[in-house]
Amino acid sequence: GAVVSQHPSWVICKSGTSVKIECRSLDFQATTMFWYRQFPKQSLMLMATSNEGSKATYEQGVEKDKFLINHASLTLSTLTVTSAHPEDSSFYICSARDARGGENIQYFGAGTRLSVL
Amino acid sequence: AQKITQTQPGMFVQEKEAVTLDCTYDTSDPSYGLFWYKQPSSGEMIFLIYQGSYDQQNATEGRYSLNFQKARKSANLVISASQLGDSAMYFCAMRGVHGSSNTGKLIFGQGTTLQVKP
């Protein structure tokens, strides 16, 4: 399968600071990447669809100015949590769509656990 | 609207036995894809198996097979010869291929926690 790298895996920050999370497709190009948020014991909640070279598409209820997404290349998308607060503490996980083969399988990164103090 | 339902919050299976994790779906798309992912306690989401709605045969990948019953709109995951390392949360997901709002995004079920007993 394809490999998606996500960094950092853990981050602890002070309230009010910004945190950037990177998602890279290592062995394939991904015009589309996705960002999810997951609470303990729950399913994944799609936050936004990241499109290379264009603006991200956010799901209803997700603050665009709070969660900034940049997809500047075919292998990298970043999620920046701006002015983070304790309620933003969560598990964030990205995926990249592999369009080779026609099945368009989404491969996931290992996730980032964000703790805001 | 598309929907995925996993009715088993938790399952137990004895090591070396087979187990079936249920998944039903609802969609009006004529063409769609069904996926299963495994999420161990470490958090990573591991792709297991894919079934296209037009595939004639059930998908298989090693010890994983997908029991696809299109008329019943079910896509159950069968794990044969369970191993201790199979203990994890399992998610069923669906992607619509067509539709005005489709961006290729996945709709996930609520997940099933599988525990394999030694």
Side-chain angles (χ1 to χ4, degrees):
Chain A
V3 180
V4 175
S5 174
Q6 185 173 342
H7 291 281
S9 55
W10 287 86
V11 59
I12 300 173
C13 69
K14 293 182 178 180
S15 185
T17 61
S18 295
V19 175
K20 180 185 281 188
I21 303 170
E22 291 188 350
C23 182
R24 294 180 184 272
S25 55
L26 296 187
D27 52 357
F28 67 102
Q29 293 182 332
T31 56
T32 306
M33 293 185 176
F34 302 86
W35 288 95
Y36 298 83
R37 183 173 181 175
Q38 186 180 30
F39 293 103
K41 305 294 183 183
Q42 294 188 23
S43 187
L44 278 70
M45 181 185 75
L46 179 66
M47 298 174 66
T49 302
S50 173
N51 303 297
E52 187 270 334
S54 64
K55 291 182 179 180
T57 304
Y58 289 81
E59 294 300 300
Q60 191 173 7
V62 178
E63 298 177 59
K64 300 178 182 181
D65 296 332
K66 176 73 171 178
F67 300 100
L68 299 178
I69 291 172
N70 184 276
H71 194 156
S73 77
L74 287 171
T75 58
L76 174 64
S77 175
T78 60
L79 168 69
T80 301
V81 183
T82 62
S83 188
H85 291 285
E87 58 266 29
D88 298 323
S89 299
S90 190
F91 184 67
Y92 295 87
I93 190 166
C94 71
S95 71
R97 186 169 65 183
D98 184 356
R100 301 171 298 179
E103 296 173 346
N104 289 294
I105 295 169
Q106 284 187 32
Y107 292 96
F108 284 79
T112 298
R113 297 191 187 277
L114 171 63
S115 294
V116 184
L117 305 178
Chain B
Q2 295 180 324
K3 186 179 180 181
I4 289 280
T5 302
Q6 294 179 254
T7 58
Q8 307 154 313
M11 291 278 288
F12 288 93
V13 65
Q14 204 67 36
E15 191 178 10
K16 299 181 183 178
E17 292 185 350
V19 63
T20 298
L21 306 183
D22 295 341
C23 173
T24 58
Y25 61 91
D26 191 18
T27 182
S28 57
D29 286 338
S31 182
Y32 49 89
L34 296 159
F35 304 77
W36 277 92
Y37 288 88
K38 171 185 177 181
Q39 187 177 41
S41 57
S42 58
E44 59 186 312
M45 289 282 285
I46 303 168
F47 166 71
L48 295 179
I49 197 165
Y50 166 83
Q51 178 84 44
S53 59
Y54 289 123
D55 293 342
Q56 295 296 314
Q57 292 188 325
N58 287 344
T60 60
E61 286 288 346
R63 294 187 297 111
Y64 305 108
S65 61
L66 200 152
N67 184 0
F68 181 45
Q69 298 188 41
K70 194 171 184 177
R72 299 179 61 181
K73 293 189 175 180
S74 72
N76 299 339
L77 176 70
V78 180
I79 305 175
S80 63
S82 297
Q83 301 172 358
L84 295 178
D86 293 336
S87 295
M89 196 156 187
Y90 289 80
F91 290 97
C92 180
M94 175 172 63
R95 182 196 70 230
V97 177
H98 299 290
S100 60
S101 62
N102 175 57
T103 57
K105 61 185 180 182
L106 296 177
I107 307 297
F108 283 89
Q110 291 305 303
T112 297
T113 299
L114 176 67
Q115 292 190 29
V116 180
K117 294 181 175 180

